[in-house]
Amino acid sequence: MDFKQRTVTCGQLRAADAGRTVVLNGWVHRDRNHGGLHFINLRDRYGITQVVVNGDSDPDLQSTASQLKLEYCIGVTGTVRKRPDEMINKDLATGEIEVVASEIEILSLCETLPFMIDEENPAREDVRLKYRYLDLRCFGMQKRIALRHYFVKAVRDFLSARDFYEIETPTLIRSTPEGARDFLVPSRIYPGKFYALPQSPQLMKQLLMVGGFDKYFQIARCYRDEDARGDRQLEFTQLDLEMSFVKRDDILSLMEELFNYVFKQILDYQLPAHFRRIAYKDAMNTYGCDKPDLRFDLPIMDFNELAAKSSFSAFKDTVAANGFVKALCARPNEKCEFTRKYIDELQDAAKVYGAKGLGWMKVTSEGTLSGGVSKYFAGMEKEVIDSLKAQGGDVIFLVAHENWKRCCTSIGAVRSKLGRDLEIIRKSFEFCWIIDFPLFCYNEEEGHWEAEHHMFSMPQARFIPTLESNPGEVLGDLYDLVLNGYEVASGSIRIHDVELQKRIFRICNFTDEEAQFRFGFLLNAFRFGPPPHGGIAPGIDRLIMIISEMTSIKEVIAFPKNTAALSPMDEAPSEVDQKQLDELHLIIKKKD
Amino acid sequence: MDFKQRTVTCGQLRAADAGRTVVLNGWVHRDRNHGGLHFINLRDRYGITQVVVNGDSDPDLQSTASQLKLEYCIGVTGTVRKRPDEMINKDLATGEIEVVASEIEILSLCETLPFMIDEENPAREDVRLKYRYLDLRCFGMQKRIALRHYFVKAVRDFLSARDFYEIETPTLIRSTPEGARDFLVPSRIYPGKFYALPQSPQLMKQLLMVGGFDKYFQIARCYRDEDARGDRQLEFTQLDLEMSFVKRDDILSLMEELFNYVFKQILDYQLPAHFRRIAYKDAMNTYGCDKPDLRFDLPIMDFNELAAKSSFSAFKDTVAANGFVKALCARPNEKCEFTRKYIDELQDAAKVYGAKGLGWMKVTSEGTLSGGVSKYFAGMEKEVIDSLKAQGGDVIFLVAHENWKRCCTSIGAVRSKLGRDLEIIRKSFEFCWIIDFPLFCYNEEEGHWEAEHHMFSMPQARFIPTLESNPGEVLGDLYDLVLNGYEVASGSIRIHDVELQKRIFRICNFTDEEAQFRFGFLLNAFRFGPPPHGGIAPGIDRLIMIISEMTSIKEVIAFPKNTAALSPMDEAPSEVDQKQLDELHLIIKKKD
């Protein structure tokens, strides 16, 4: 299967190349016939070059040209010719020239396409994923996969220059008890035993610190067998990073420098030298979530004092019961009127998070309140308006709930929806750190405390003596990095003390025996001079998604699964031979 | 858990730093008491610094110093002092100075060590792997893991500069029929269905070529559930690479440039610009294997003609039956005498590969033959000696076998053993290409042809019209890269034609239905203008092993499994909860 190999790519030729004889290899992107003249837009990864088959060229060539269809893979030999000035195509990097074909070789044929190869592919997701090898030819996918390469390369360059080693950790490991969502891999040699695919290299990277590697990173494939919800994949990629002899601020600074470097390098975008740091509690109070989108304002404000003074019994009772009332001012605009119907939508958004209702009242241009719950604030109008720094034309939204977190997240949902619908989200990259997270949260279902992040994170020093007395109060040395309303990284300073680690396990309802069974190797390692250490793990898929201005990570993964955890292309997962099951000592359980 | 953080590393201080107050963090590597003076060698990833605790320092400091044990993790605050000239330790980069401690902080304790932390760890493999986090502290492991980082970084730098994109391919894929050795991952959502872990990204990278990515690479984790034999791991890492619009020599040149760059960069070692290319048949004939170690000579020579003329019926009969007789000349040296016992060992080596015996005879300084089978060559001495270019003192070894491959590999085993035992293996890196491999080999057990490498490799053009008539004769567009007797990469130009691909499947005993079921997605992709493409996949573990002058890939993997596919550290694989099995719809089959 011999063929003439390209001497140039389809993105390379310029006016200065006029007169050269060249060979191009690529795909027929577009194909037009203009009165005997045949124009072929030939495409490869590097660009598009216009090829012309003249009406006076030999009949064989003309015959070959007339057989061409979209996405045929062909080779073209020809001479570069400068286009007349009026024919220059400024949209193409090669738009100053065209190649006059002297020979066309068909390298492979293409059947009727399921969709056109273009900028973005409007086809249904499952069609796109079934023919992913064609979907990937679209410019948008090409650009994003390239961006991903450049992004990750820049990350590696930065960290390598900072003396980090990239170290590969195993992916056939022991199942750990986060475990419920582990993918298992049956062992053929050991009947009834399983390896697990790692949800992250967490324990392995901590062992690398015990092993003295000091600065470790890895672009690591991680696995989580979660039910399909939102934009998740069974396998995902994180920048896993760990350092010894560090404190929280070392990790935060390193990440700030890393993202400054990468965004400058890849997007020519200048980030601030330092990212805002917001305590978890403040983030919840002001933005109603722990991953605030700072590209728009609409701050949430405390309304307890004014609510207590109002004549609205729902509010007064909530405050009296040590509950919370929170307020938000927003102003309708041409993108979004605050109709009755729209306010109902906002209320529905709040209810998802537990709010029983959404109070509202208008601020008139005369500085009075009208509509909604305004009647309960008679006589307090000025106080309310001043306290919220509200302006004439604003609408005040109010949520009350006895539970602080629910109050925050309910009004946070209102804030998010307003930001989107008012279209006041600035086009920028707004990073911030969320710090001072609680270390534990209470699992109502199972009736015990569990780790908010994971069990290896260090409590803040002042809580260590009395962890057990009130786990809910304990703050951890935890930090999340948030970008444009998405959590893009999560990390912590780790425990490196056996006894402290055991106390955490006990609070999280692991007996010492169970802890030893599950994590014995980590506890053992901590007996041999472990260094203080900490780390973080930015999610690569989501970061690339955000900087590509996409809303699904599937747009930045070459061969993703669909939302049902299937691959429409190769139809994984699939049934396997009985012989394979026998070798693995497995029987499939019949459905009940 | 506050502590004083290092201001310098343990590998950093020089004479010019004398007088500075510094903080070091690290491990107690060695610890000596010299009449009141306490010397601590403090170690971190970067080096060792000597810390001195003076006899006149405060009692608290002295008390802390006296509690220290090996591998305690500590912080030291002190003043840098130039050592007297006679005390300079030229073996240490920091040997010109020491740090006079003013404060020592114990960061964590260390129990009695299972082995000393030193250059290499002489402990038993399972002890090393159980305490891998300590084994990794040994200098040898530290250096090799660092080397691996630098090596892979250089590979990425080179390929990125050559416009390759690193693209991640999925690791939860459809099980394919190489299949027998696939690791399976049960799906929780789809009872009875399985994902498979990839043995390589072969099909995915071919689909990336169909997707127009032109130049792809990936440092890819691959999985093979093989029985423990030799130096294999369940998971291993390869540089996976594929290019479109290429022919064989493009791949070979690229690899030559890549390894030239990497070896220069990492080892300051100059490789030749081009590597020798040896046809498979010639490699077998001359070196008795398809991964020849070119660091020593001892070429194998054809002996058929002379054997036919001899009076040794075993040889004569072999030749008469269209068999093969091959010869090798070697000369004993001070490392290895050719005693009767040693020649028996050589014969045993040959028998492993099917030889029935090993003939030998000595070349005397008078130019005659003596001993062994020499009597059968009476009157032919000069002819034999001239033909083999043998010298006085050489011993001629001879193997006969009716099967060409067995004849070659049998005497090849003799050659390898001689190279090792005579210690004539040069210290160098000898790359070569093996080309012109057969495309098919006959599976005697299952009674059909199968792919020598894999089913996606292109036959050489001249064989395409008549593939089916004699599959055994067909040469493929295949190439292996060999380094110092190890196969370090394997690749081919791929088929990109549906019909040709189907013919190969049929020759390999796949019905069209089965091929469609297994590989339908690849065959489908080939309907849409696939480009000509080819690639290669160097094995990273083995390459790093060879350049580290180690003999096991476990020496260059942070957390390997042992030969029994177990991890003595975390005891994977392990049993899992019944609940997990229930969720996966699996029952473990009881042993019969």
Side-chain angles (χ1 to χ4, degrees):
Chain A
M1 294 230 174
D2 204 18
F3 68 101
K4 271 201 189 171
Q5 286 182 275
R6 65 186 168 199
T7 56
V8 293
T9 72
C10 296
Q12 186 176 336
L13 294 171
R14 299 290 181 273
D17 295 301
R20 282 179 65 188
T21 298
V22 297
V23 181
L24 297 161
N25 296 154
W27 287 268
V28 176
H29 184 64
R30 296 290 182 266
D31 189 15
R32 287 167 296 140
N33 240 310
H34 267 300
L37 272 180
H38 204 102
F39 293 95
I40 301 155
N41 274 2
L42 193 67
R43 188 194 70 240
D44 65 12
R45 194 187 91 180
Y46 310 92
I48 288 178
T49 297
Q50 178 165 289
V51 173
V52 188
V53 180
N54 281 328
D56 58 1
S57 53
D58 74 82
D60 279 358
L61 177 59
Q62 293 202 50
S63 154
T64 306
S66 67
Q67 292 165 39
L68 298 181
K69 294 190 181 141
L70 291 186
E71 298 303 313
Y72 271 35
C73 186
I74 65 172
V76 173
T77 306
T79 309
V80 184
R81 177 169 73 187
K82 200 172 171 323
R83 298 197 201 183
D85 284 351
E86 67 277 17
M87 299 297 279
I88 288 178
N89 181 344
K90 290 197 193 301
D91 296 337
L92 281 186
T94 62
E96 296 175 318
I97 59 91
E98 58 195 5
V99 171
V100 183
S102 58
E103 189 188 336
I104 293 179
E105 193 179 5
I106 297 179
L107 304 178
S108 67
L109 309 179
C110 183
E111 296 184 4
T112 306
L113 292 163
F115 42 72
M116 286 286 281
I117 306 305
D118 214 325
E119 187 61 37
E120 294 292 347
N121 186 350
R124 275 196 1 254
E125 180 176 283
D126 267 24
V127 176
R128 289 184 60 195
L129 294 185
K130 178 170 181 191
Y131 298 96
R132 188 59 153 188
Y133 41 85
L134 292 178
D135 188 56
L136 286 172
R137 290 187 193 166
C138 294
F139 300 118
M141 282 307 306
Q142 290 267 326
K143 278 183 219 154
R144 289 190 291 277
I145 296 295
L147 179 75
R148 184 172 179 134
H149 163 73
Y150 292 120
F151 183 96
V152 173
K153 181 67 169 61
V155 167
R156 286 195 160 103
D157 288 346
F158 176 88
L159 291 173
S160 300
R162 295 296 185 98
D163 287 333
F164 281 77
Y165 293 155
E166 182 160 14
I167 304 177
E168 295 185 68
T169 54
T171 57
L172 294 172
I173 62 168
R174 183 188 184 84
S175 180
T176 57
E178 293 143 337
R181 294 286 83 100
D182 278 351
F183 278 105
L184 297 183
V185 183
S187 163
R188 186 169 49 88
I189 308 177
Y190 302 100
K193 295 197 172 183
F194 292 81
Y195 303 96
L197 300 177
Q199 296 190 32
S200 87
Q202 182 63 33
L203 297 182
M204 292 299 160
K205 71 176 172 175
Q206 292 194 243
L207 293 174
L208 286 174
M209 294 302 105
V210 178
F213 278 106
D214 205 272
K215 292 179 176 181
Y216 145 91
F217 81 100
Q218 185 181 194
I219 305 293
R221 198 70 61 89
C222 304
Y223 302 85
R224 202 168 296 166
D225 188 8
E226 281 186 307
D227 291 319
R229 67 185 166 90
D231 188 33
R232 303 211 177 223
Q233 288 282 312
L234 306 180
E235 50 183 320
F236 55 98
T237 303
Q238 70 187 31
L239 163 58
D240 195 54
L241 183 143
E242 197 81 3
M243 299 166 78
S244 290
F245 306 117
V246 290
K247 299 182 181 177
R248 184 192 72 186
D249 288 1
D250 299 305
I251 309 273
L252 270 47
S253 302
L254 179 82
M255 286 295 110
E256 287 163 355
E257 290 170 53
L258 169 70
F259 285 111
N260 261 273
Y261 173 81
V262 173
F263 274 61
K264 188 72 195 164
Q265 200 74 11
I266 303 309
L267 307 171
D268 196 24
Y269 186 95
Q270 185 63 55
L271 291 172
H274 298 288
F275 305 158
R276 270 183 66 187
R277 295 180 188 184
I278 309 175
Y280 168 77
K281 206 177 163 184
D282 296 335
M284 293 296 286
N285 277 328
T286 309
Y287 303 102
C289 73
D290 59 1
K291 36 183 198 272
D293 190 340
L294 302 182
R295 289 174 302 169
F296 65 99
D297 300 322
L298 302 187
I300 298 164
M301 287 164 285
D302 177 41
F303 202 71
N304 271 33
E305 204 176 312
L306 293 165
K309 286 200 232 166
S310 77
S311 58
F312 192 22
S313 58
F315 284 2
K316 292 168 74 81
D317 294 350
T318 302
V319 176
N322 292 317
F324 301 84
V325 184
K326 296 194 174 286
L328 177 66
C329 300
R331 176 187 299 246
N333 62 19
E334 65 281 9
K335 304 288 182 184
C336 180
E337 295 292 334
F338 292 174
T339 60
R340 190 72 223 191
K341 181 166 166 291
Y342 182 72
I343 291 174
D344 284 348
E345 283 178 29
L346 289 175
Q347 177 161 274
D348 290 343
K351 282 182 171 172
V352 170
Y353 294 87
K356 288 169 209 85
L358 176 69
W360 63 272
M361 47 196 177
K362 289 186 189 163
V363 182
T364 66
S365 50
E366 294 80 31
T368 63
L369 299 172
S370 77
V373 298
S374 59
K375 60 184 169 197
Y376 302 111
F377 295 88
M380 298 172 58
E381 286 89 346
K382 190 173 157 31
E383 197 179 351
V384 168
I385 292 169
D386 288 354
S387 146
L388 300 180
K389 296 194 177 66
Q391 306 281 322
D394 281 358
V395 175
I396 297 167
F397 294 101
L398 296 162
V399 167
H401 204 288
E402 64 275 15
N403 177 291
W404 171 74
K405 203 164 171 180
R406 287 180 185 233
C407 185
C408 294
T409 50
S410 297
I411 195 161
V414 174
R415 176 182 180 270
S416 294
K417 184 169 166 59
L418 283 167
R420 281 196 305 274
D421 296 340
L422 292 166
E423 296 185 25
I424 54 174
I425 299 178
R426 290 183 291 271
K427 196 173 148 52
S428 64
F429 295 111
E430 299 284 344
F431 278 99
C432 67
W433 291 106
I434 309 297
I435 55 173
D436 297 338
F437 276 93
L439 193 66
F440 302 104
C441 61
Y442 196 74
N443 184 327
E444 301 279 356
E445 243 170 82
E446 303 189 7
H448 61 80
W449 293 97
E450 62 186 19
E452 181 81 42
H453 279 48
H454 57 57
M455 294 188 289
F456 313 105
S457 296
M458 186 75 97
Q460 292 186 8
R462 63 197 156 113
F463 297 99
I464 292 180
T466 57
L467 289 179
E468 290 81 0
S469 60
N470 189 352
E473 289 286 298
V474 176
L475 298 185
D477 236 342
L478 306 170
Y479 32 86
D480 275 5
L481 182 61
V482 171
L483 170 58
N484 291 0
Y486 292 95
E487 180 205 310
V488 293
S490 187
S492 65
I493 298 300
R494 324 298 184 186
I495 297 166
H496 66 276
D497 177 83
V498 181
E499 289 313 315
L500 180 58
Q501 185 65 69
K502 285 185 180 170
R503 286 171 64 197
I504 302 285
F505 286 150
R506 281 181 216 124
I507 293 172
C508 295
N509 205 35
F510 281 88
T511 63
D512 284 9
E513 294 68 37
E514 202 172 355
Q516 186 64 36
F517 177 72
R518 295 291 197 173
F519 299 111
F521 62 108
L522 183 71
L523 295 173
N524 287 346
F526 283 177
R527 290 157 46 207
F528 297 101
H533 61 286
I536 192 164
I540 296 294
D541 307 296
R542 196 174 277 173
L543 276 163
I544 311 285
M545 177 195 88
I546 297 169
I547 64 179
S548 309
E549 301 177 52
M550 291 284 123
T551 53
S552 165
I553 59 172
K554 289 193 277 284
E555 296 291 352
V556 300
I557 297 173
F559 298 106
K561 306 281 182 294
N562 68 14
T563 322
L566 299 172
S567 166
M569 184 178 70
D570 63 357
E571 293 179 324
S574 65
E575 281 160 17
V576 296
D577 295 343
Q578 186 60 40
K579 195 177 146 202
Q580 280 175 283
L581 293 179
D582 290 344
E583 286 216 329
L584 297 175
H585 328 283
L586 293 179
I587 298 170
I588 309 291
K589 198 190 280 187
K590 295 282 176 298
K591 274 186 201 150
D592 302 324
Chain B
M1 294 230 171
D2 204 18
F3 69 100
K4 272 200 188 170
Q5 286 183 274
R6 65 186 168 197
T7 56
V8 291
T9 71
C10 295
Q12 186 176 337
L13 296 170
R14 299 289 181 272
D17 295 301
R20 283 178 67 186
T21 298
V22 297
V23 182
L24 297 162
N25 295 155
W27 286 269
V28 176
H29 185 64
R30 296 290 182 264
D31 189 18
R32 288 165 297 140
N33 241 311
H34 268 300
L37 273 180
H38 204 101
F39 293 96
I40 300 155
N41 275 2
L42 193 68
R43 188 196 70 240
D44 65 13
R45 192 187 92 178
Y46 310 92
I48 288 179
T49 297
Q50 177 164 288
V51 172
V52 188
V53 180
N54 280 327
D56 58 2
S57 54
D58 75 81
D60 279 0
L61 176 59
Q62 293 204 46
S63 154
T64 306
S66 68
Q67 292 166 37
L68 298 181
K69 291 187 183 147
L70 291 186
E71 298 301 314
Y72 271 35
C73 186
I74 66 173
V76 173
T77 307
T79 310
V80 184
R81 179 168 72 185
K82 198 173 171 328
R83 297 196 202 184
D85 283 352
E86 67 278 16
M87 302 295 281
I88 288 176
N89 182 346
K90 292 198 193 302
D91 295 338
L92 281 186
T94 63
E96 296 176 318
I97 58 90
E98 58 196 5
V99 171
V100 183
S102 59
E103 191 187 333
I104 293 179
E105 194 177 5
I106 296 178
L107 304 178
S108 67
L109 309 179
C110 183
E111 295 183 6
T112 306
L113 292 163
F115 43 71
M116 287 286 282
I117 308 304
D118 214 325
E119 187 61 38
E120 294 293 348
N121 186 351
R124 273 193 7 249
E125 181 176 284
D126 267 24
V127 176
R128 290 183 60 194
L129 293 184
K130 178 170 182 190
Y131 297 98
R132 188 60 154 189
Y133 41 84
L134 293 179
D135 188 55
L136 287 171
R137 290 187 192 167
C138 294
F139 300 116
M141 282 306 307
Q142 290 267 323
K143 278 182 221 158
R144 288 189 291 275
I145 296 296
L147 179 74
R148 184 172 178 133
H149 162 73
Y150 292 118
F151 184 96
V152 172
K153 181 68 170 61
V155 167
R156 286 194 159 103
D157 289 346
F158 176 87
L159 292 173
S160 301
R162 295 296 185 98
D163 287 334
F164 281 79
Y165 294 154
E166 183 161 14
I167 304 177
E168 294 185 69
T169 54
T171 57
L172 294 171
I173 62 167
R174 183 188 184 84
S175 181
T176 57
E178 292 142 340
R181 292 289 80 100
D182 277 352
F183 278 104
L184 296 183
V185 182
S187 162
R188 186 168 51 86
I189 308 177
Y190 303 100
K193 294 198 172 184
F194 293 81
Y195 303 95
L197 300 178
Q199 297 188 33
S200 88
Q202 181 63 36
L203 297 182
M204 294 298 161
K205 72 176 172 176
Q206 292 193 243
L207 293 173
L208 287 174
M209 295 303 104
V210 177
F213 279 106
D214 204 89
K215 293 178 176 183
Y216 144 92
F217 82 100
Q218 185 181 196
I219 305 292
R221 197 70 61 88
C222 304
Y223 302 85
R224 202 168 296 166
D225 189 9
E226 281 187 305
D227 292 318
R229 69 183 166 92
D231 188 35
R232 303 213 177 219
Q233 289 282 312
L234 306 180
E235 48 183 321
F236 55 97
T237 303
Q238 71 187 30
L239 163 59
D240 195 53
L241 185 142
E242 197 81 4
M243 298 166 79
S244 289
F245 306 116
V246 291
K247 299 183 181 177
R248 184 191 71 186
D249 288 1
D250 299 303
I251 309 271
L252 270 46
S253 302
L254 179 82
M255 286 294 110
E256 288 164 353
E257 289 172 53
L258 169 69
F259 285 111
N260 261 273
Y261 174 81
V262 173
F263 274 61
K264 187 73 195 162
Q265 200 74 12
I266 304 308
L267 307 170
D268 196 25
Y269 186 95
Q270 185 63 55
L271 290 172
H274 297 290
F275 305 159
R276 270 183 66 187
R277 296 179 188 183
I278 309 175
Y280 167 78
K281 203 174 167 191
D282 296 335
M284 293 297 285
N285 277 328
T286 309
Y287 304 102
C289 72
D290 59 2
K291 36 183 197 270
D293 190 342
L294 302 183
R295 291 174 301 168
F296 65 99
D297 302 321
L298 302 185
I300 297 163
M301 287 165 283
D302 177 42
F303 202 71
N304 271 33
E305 202 176 315
L306 293 165
K309 288 200 230 167
S310 76
S311 57
F312 192 21
S313 59
F315 284 3
K316 290 167 76 78
D317 293 351
T318 302
V319 176
N322 291 318
F324 300 85
V325 184
K326 295 192 175 285
L328 178 66
C329 300
R331 176 187 301 246
N333 63 20
E334 66 280 9
K335 305 288 185 184
C336 179
E337 295 291 334
F338 291 176
T339 59
R340 189 73 223 188
K341 181 166 166 293
Y342 182 71
I343 291 175
D344 284 348
E345 283 178 30
L346 289 175
Q347 177 161 276
D348 290 344
K351 283 182 172 173
V352 169
Y353 293 86
K356 287 169 208 86
L358 177 69
W360 63 272
M361 48 197 176
K362 287 184 191 164
V363 181
T364 66
S365 49
E366 293 80 33
T368 62
L369 298 171
S370 78
V373 299
S374 59
K375 60 184 171 197
Y376 302 113
F377 295 89
M380 300 172 57
E381 286 91 347
K382 192 173 155 28
E383 197 179 350
V384 167
I385 292 170
D386 288 354
S387 147
L388 300 179
K389 297 194 178 68
Q391 306 282 320
D394 280 358
V395 174
I396 297 167
F397 295 101
L398 297 162
V399 168
H401 202 291
E402 66 274 16
N403 178 291
W404 170 74
K405 203 165 173 179
R406 285 179 187 232
C407 185
C408 294
T409 49
S410 297
I411 195 161
V414 173
R415 176 181 179 271
S416 294
K417 184 169 166 57
L418 283 168
R420 281 196 305 277
D421 296 338
L422 292 166
E423 296 184 25
I424 53 173
I425 299 178
R426 290 182 292 271
K427 197 173 146 50
S428 66
F429 295 111
E430 298 284 345
F431 278 99
C432 66
W433 291 106
I434 308 298
I435 55 174
D436 296 337
F437 277 93
L439 192 66
F440 301 103
C441 61
Y442 195 75
N443 184 328
E444 302 278 354
E445 245 170 82
E446 304 189 6
H448 60 81
W449 292 97
E450 62 186 19
E452 180 82 41
H453 279 49
H454 57 57
M455 294 188 289
F456 313 106
S457 296
M458 185 76 98
Q460 293 185 9
R462 64 196 156 111
F463 297 98
I464 292 181
T466 56
L467 287 181
E468 292 80 359
S469 60
N470 189 353
E473 289 287 298
V474 177
L475 298 185
D477 235 343
L478 306 170
Y479 30 86
D480 275 5
L481 183 60
V482 171
L483 170 58
N484 291 1
Y486 292 94
E487 179 205 310
V488 293
S490 188
S492 65
I493 298 301
R494 323 299 183 185
I495 297 164
H496 65 277
D497 177 82
V498 182
E499 290 312 316
L500 180 57
Q501 184 66 69
K502 285 185 180 170
R503 287 171 64 197
I504 301 285
F505 286 149
R506 280 180 218 126
I507 293 172
C508 296
N509 205 36
F510 282 89
T511 64
D512 283 7
E513 294 68 36
E514 201 172 356
Q516 187 62 36
F517 176 71
R518 297 290 196 173
F519 299 112
F521 62 109
L522 183 72
L523 295 173
N524 288 345
F526 283 176
R527 291 159 43 209
F528 297 101
H533 60 289
I536 192 166
I540 296 292
D541 306 295
R542 196 175 277 173
L543 276 163
I544 312 285
M545 177 194 88
I546 298 168
I547 65 178
S548 308
E549 300 177 52
M550 292 283 122
T551 52
S552 166
I553 58 172
K554 290 194 278 282
E555 297 292 351
V556 300
I557 297 172
F559 298 107
K561 306 281 183 294
N562 67 16
T563 323
L566 299 171
S567 166
M569 185 178 71
D570 64 357
E571 293 177 326
S574 65
E575 281 160 16
V576 296
D577 296 344
Q578 186 59 44
K579 195 177 147 200
Q580 280 175 283
L581 292 180
D582 290 345
E583 287 216 328
L584 298 175
H585 328 284
L586 293 180
I587 297 169
I588 309 291
K589 197 189 283 186
K590 295 283 176 296
K591 275 185 201 150
D592 301 324

